[in-house]
Amino acid sequence: MQELINSFADFVQGMGLFAMTWKMYVMWGVVAVMLFFGVVKQFEPLLLVPIAFGALIANIPDNGMVITQAQREVLSVKNGQPHTERINDVGFISAEVVPYAESAPNMQVAEGLSDEQKREYLAKMDQPAVATPVEGKKGQLTITGQKAQKVLVSRLEGGLFDFLGQGIKCEIFPALIFMGVGALTDFGPLLASPKALLLGAAAQGGVAFTFIAAMALGFTRGEASAIGIIGGADGPTSIFLASNLAPHLLGAIAVAAYTYMALVPLIQPPFMKLFTTEAQRKIKMKSLRQVSKGEKLFFCFVVTIITILICPDAAPLLGMLMFGNFLRECKVTERLVNCAQNELMNITTILLGVSVGLTMQGGRFLQVDTLLIIGLGVVAFAVATVCGLICAQLMNLVPGWRKNPINPLIGSAGVSAVPMAARVSHNVGQQADRTNFLLMHAMGPNVAGVIGTAVIAGYYITTLRG
């Protein structure tokens, strides 16, 4: 009977209810808000719903299903001199250097020394051991102290959802999403009007401005770059960059990126109307020429080679984007295209959303930095939209382009929320003139924005990753 009582007591003590914290309860409220926007308002539901449910699981005490803590030993022998130890473990959180005496030193190294040399040697071995993280370089330590020391590396691992999350850490999910986007998108409007590349490039002004603003607010360069890329309105790219340069901010950045992508129809129109006149919004553009199959295939081939040669770190995104589009345009891989557009895209979206949500533990998410990221996300979108609008107006001043003026509204589609931003440009244009059709014209800057944001992400990784 006593054993039964003890067993029941152990069961009660093991309940997650007693491990709940106030931050977890607050996160439940955040989850409810996300589900409201995703289910009731239908703002980007395919991603907000999985992210929200992942966040709910992450904020319920579990028995290692999400994460567990483990340690790994690293033996370091550097003659007592300060040096840097790179810890390659995914999920690294901290390290502790065990004193020399505890690391079972081989005292035979002192044989053959004079008494004075032995005293100097042993005094050197008594120096305190310290492992100091290298600023801005996660997983790197500057170690000082003994000639030999054992470094205990604490890391997070294990659990079903932790292994699913490797799809983000290993850059698999964003790349697969890009392949699906390529299989779904027609690059013809961009090829028919190459000057749309300028509009896509101009919209990256939001990324640059937000990078500078984040640096001014005290974020590191890696963190600022991951925050700034929100201005590109590209969720997979935001996740890709954050997982490389600011993994501790991944949840906040992903939620901000996808939330604002969903709110593009609400965020952009006020700025579009403020920075354009009614006459400009009524500009009708000439129909685009038909682009041949050969041109589209050649474009995919050339862009893949050039962009990866220039910016190798963008290869996972741009390579898969162009591969997906090549499958679409070659017209001989219908089964693969259907898979990339539907089954694979849907499975990856589910796993990506849940994995992002699982990074939103209350202890990480409920910080001042999260509020700053959300605020900077709005600024990034606004500046990107305005830069695109102004660039289009400046292009209309170029003598050679005055005969076929650009409707400035398509400049706002330079943010890479495909095809939502293009639809917003079209809808605002139709509010000014019901006979004005801008959708295909806006798709050019939209595709250019996707390519531009991916290239910038690759540049940031190349220059900022330690």
Side-chain angles (χ1 to χ4, degrees):
M1 185 64 180
Q2 185 62 39
E3 292 182 1
L4 181 61
I5 294 175
N6 292 339
S7 178
F8 181 75
D10 291 340
F11 170 76
V12 172
Q13 291 177 359
M15 288 183 177
L17 181 63
F18 299 103
M20 287 291 297
T21 65
W22 68 269
K23 290 184 177 181
M24 290 181 176
Y25 288 116
V26 173
M27 287 303 298
W28 288 6
V30 174
V31 168
V33 172
M34 293 173 63
L35 289 175
F36 172 78
F37 281 114
V39 178
V40 179
K41 296 297 184 179
Q42 297 185 16
F43 290 158
E44 206 72 31
L46 297 182
L47 273 161
L48 281 186
V49 171
I51 290 175
F53 212 85
L56 177 63
I57 295 173
N59 288 280
I60 300 176
D62 62 86
N63 191 26
M65 183 171 64
V66 178
I67 54 174
T68 56
Q69 185 165 320
Q71 288 188 329
R72 181 171 71 86
E73 295 183 3
V74 178
L75 184 63
S76 179
V77 182
K78 297 292 182 179
N79 297 319
Q81 300 301 317
H83 67 282
T84 297
E85 184 82 40
R86 184 175 181 86
I87 310 300
N88 294 319
D89 279 333
V90 174
F92 164 81
I93 54 174
S94 64
E96 175 188 2
V97 178
V98 179
Y100 180 83
E102 296 180 24
S103 61
N106 182 1
M107 293 304 296
Q108 292 180 352
V109 295
E111 292 183 357
L113 300 180
S114 66
D115 292 341
E116 183 178 354
Q117 290 174 326
K118 287 183 179 180
R119 284 194 296 270
E120 292 178 356
Y121 177 84
L122 293 175
K124 191 176 186 180
M125 294 304 99
D126 287 336
Q127 294 176 3
V130 180
T132 307
V134 178
E135 184 178 358
K137 296 184 178 180
K138 190 174 179 65
Q140 293 194 32
L141 309 168
T142 296
I143 300 174
T144 59
Q146 290 85 351
K147 179 178 179 180
Q149 60 265 335
K150 185 168 58 177
V151 183
L152 295 182
V153 181
S154 297
R155 64 185 302 275
L156 299 177
E157 66 173 15
L160 169 65
F161 291 113
D162 178 67
F163 291 111
L164 291 180
Q166 298 302 313
I168 292 178
K169 297 171 185 175
C170 299
E171 304 174 2
I172 297 172
F173 294 158
L176 291 180
I177 291 289
F178 256 61
M179 182 177 69
V181 170
L184 287 165
T185 306
D186 182 7
F187 289 0
L190 175 61
L191 296 175
S193 181
K195 60 186 178 183
L197 284 168
L198 296 177
L199 298 175
Q204 307 309 314
V207 176
F209 179 87
T210 309
F211 173 81
I212 296 171
M215 288 282 290
L217 290 174
F219 289 97
T220 66
R221 290 191 299 167
E223 293 170 343
S225 65
I227 295 169
I229 213 73
I230 295 174
D234 191 334
T237 304
S238 298
I239 292 172
F240 177 78
L241 188 57
S243 65
N244 275 277
L245 300 180
H248 55 293
L249 299 179
L250 176 61
I253 289 173
V255 169
Y258 279 112
T259 299
Y260 292 137
M261 279 178 62
L263 295 177
V264 162
L266 299 179
I267 295 175
Q268 285 195 317
F271 293 99
M272 296 165 72
K273 294 177 181 178
L274 180 63
F275 284 86
T276 59
T277 65
E278 186 173 356
Q280 288 175 330
R281 293 195 290 273
K282 290 182 177 180
I283 293 176
K284 292 185 177 181
M285 300 177 65
K286 293 182 179 179
S287 298
L288 296 172
R289 69 176 180 85
Q290 290 294 320
V291 178
S292 68
K293 170 183 171 181
E295 287 180 276
K296 294 178 180 180
L297 295 178
F298 183 72
F299 176 77
C300 292
F301 189 75
V302 171
V303 170
T304 300
I305 294 174
I306 293 177
T307 54
I308 295 178
L309 284 177
I310 295 175
C311 192
D313 283 303
L317 298 182
L318 287 174
M320 295 301 282
L321 177 72
M322 295 302 159
F323 172 59
N325 194 254
F326 196 94
L327 291 177
R328 169 194 172 96
E329 301 300 343
C330 70
K331 307 300 183 184
V332 294
T333 56
E334 287 81 3
R335 288 173 56 189
L336 299 183
V337 173
N338 290 333
C339 177
Q341 291 177 339
N342 299 291
E343 292 86 356
L344 184 58
M345 187 78 156
N346 292 335
I347 292 171
T348 305
T349 299
I350 292 172
L351 297 179
L352 175 68
V354 173
S355 299
V356 168
L358 289 168
T359 67
M360 295 171 60
Q361 292 93 359
R364 294 184 183 180
F365 194 80
L366 297 178
Q367 298 179 358
V368 175
D369 286 352
T370 300
L371 296 177
L372 291 176
I373 289 170
I374 292 174
L376 288 169
V378 175
V379 173
F381 263 69
V383 175
T385 300
V386 172
C387 287
L389 295 170
I390 293 176
C391 179
Q393 295 173 4
L394 293 176
M395 289 171 66
N396 284 337
L397 300 178
V398 177
W401 291 340
R402 288 181 181 177
K403 296 180 180 179
N404 184 20
I406 299 171
N407 189 313
L409 293 178
I410 72 170
S412 65
V415 297
S416 53
V418 180
M420 188 181 299
R423 286 201 298 262
V424 171
S425 298
H426 172 76
N427 292 338
V428 175
Q430 289 235 308
Q431 292 174 10
D433 184 349
R434 298 296 299 176
T435 64
N436 200 0
F437 297 93
L438 298 175
L439 182 60
M440 295 308 296
H441 297 283
M443 282 301 297
N446 214 183
V447 173
V450 175
I451 297 173
T453 304
V455 169
I456 290 177
Y459 168 79
Y460 278 145
I461 293 172
T462 300
T463 56
L464 300 179
R465 183 170 56 188

